[in-house]
Amino acid sequence: TQLLEQSPQFLSIQEGENLTVYCNSSSVFSSLQWYRQEPGEGPVLLVTVVTGGEVKKLKRLTFQFGDARKDSSLHITAAQPGDTGLYLCAGAPGNQFYFGTGTSLTVIP
Amino acid sequence: NAGVMQNPRHLVRRRGQEARLRCSPMKGHSHVYWYRQLPEEGLKFMVYLQKENIIDESGMPKERFSAEFPKEGPSILRIQQVVRGDSAAYFCASSPPGQGLEQFFGPGTRLTVL
């Protein structure tokens, strides 16, 4: 059973397009994190969202935490080839940290 | 401030040998987590340790796998009698005391079992 489901699993878009990635769960989280992982490297933390309904912006990336704190989304505006990577959401309803299934994004120049 | 360090970055073992993976957390971090990642899959939690204590090992296989985080020195993930199915990328992450929300990852060790 996967605690955090991400969609879509794969996404290939042209440079300049916008996209949204989703992270959903039936469990409530006190916080959720988003990471980006490039091939051959470890995940790098992008943002932590804590409050239900919270919106955080990181340049062209906008992160939202659902009101019920069960889901989150990542929106990228005007995607660049440098945005290519595996995007992972993660959270810890208890002691253990769970990662989502991941969205593999490819931005084509 | 150096990040999380893992070594070796690549490790090749034959079936039946032992694999030892090392992780040095960020300075000031006392919590260490180990994860396994198979190709095209997400990260699977294995074990959560604090200095000299295993806090949660619910993700560890019952046999052949063990982990420690001694008072001095790096955390070690040990796999005995490796099998081909152990081939994967193993990542270590650390977090500061009292802040388990955010974890900082090392570059990983890629284990290949021949």
Side-chain angles (χ1 to χ4, degrees):
Chain A
T1 303
Q2 189 68 37
L3 195 64
L4 287 165
E5 295 282 351
Q6 288 186 241
S7 61
Q9 187 176 358
F10 297 97
L11 187 57
S12 182
I13 61 170
Q14 294 289 332
E15 181 176 359
E17 292 184 348
N18 302 332
L19 67 116
T20 303
V21 174
Y22 300 93
C23 173
N24 296 297
S25 177
S26 57
S27 299
V28 176
F29 290 85
S30 58
S31 69
L32 276 178
Q33 288 78 45
W34 283 92
Y35 291 80
R36 186 172 82 194
Q37 183 180 22
E38 298 190 18
E41 298 296 329
V44 175
L45 179 66
L46 296 174
V47 78
T48 297
V49 285
V50 179
T51 308
E54 181 178 4
V55 176
K56 278 192 175 179
K57 293 197 175 207
L58 188 66
K59 297 183 181 177
R60 293 178 293 101
L61 278 59
T62 301
F63 303 86
Q64 187 161 7
F65 200 12
D67 291 339
R69 290 184 289 125
K70 292 183 178 181
D71 53 83
S72 181
S73 64
L74 159 59
H75 182 80
I76 301 179
T77 304
Q80 304 292 315
D83 296 328
T84 293
L86 179 66
Y87 288 82
L88 297 158
C89 65
N95 218 14
Q96 189 178 127
F97 216 55
Y98 289 90
F99 276 83
T101 47
T103 293
S104 180
L105 171 66
T106 302
V107 181
I108 302 165
Chain B
N1 191 9
V4 178
M5 301 181 70
Q6 289 187 248
N7 66 83
R9 292 292 308 271
H10 301 274
L11 183 60
V12 179
R13 285 287 179 266
R14 296 192 181 280
R15 280 180 296 169
Q17 291 184 321
E18 178 180 287
R20 279 185 181 240
L21 288 61
R22 295 175 191 80
C23 169
S24 297
M26 287 179 70
K27 187 176 180 180
H29 287 195
S30 57
H31 300 199
V32 166
Y33 310 80
W34 285 94
Y35 295 85
R36 179 163 63 179
Q37 187 176 39
L38 294 169
E40 304 300 328
E41 290 189 13
L43 289 150
K44 302 295 185 192
F45 168 82
M46 298 181 75
V47 63
Y48 164 33
L49 309 108
Q50 293 179 18
K51 284 284 187 181
E52 298 184 281
N53 282 309
I54 297 174
I55 306 303
D56 183 344
E57 58 180 348
S58 58
M60 288 276 272
K62 294 288 187 286
E63 298 176 348
R64 303 187 297 108
F65 285 72
S66 62
E68 62 176 5
F69 188 16
K71 188 177 181 181
E72 301 291 336
S75 175
I76 306 285
L77 177 67
R78 183 182 177 206
I79 311 173
Q80 295 177 289
Q81 299 173 345
V82 295
V83 300
R84 288 218 174 103
D86 297 333
S87 295
Y90 292 83
F91 290 96
C92 165
S94 72
S95 66
Q99 293 187 39
L101 298 179
E102 296 181 346
Q103 301 183 5
F104 297 85
F105 281 80
T109 293
R110 274 141 195 87
L111 172 66
T112 301
V113 180
L114 302 176

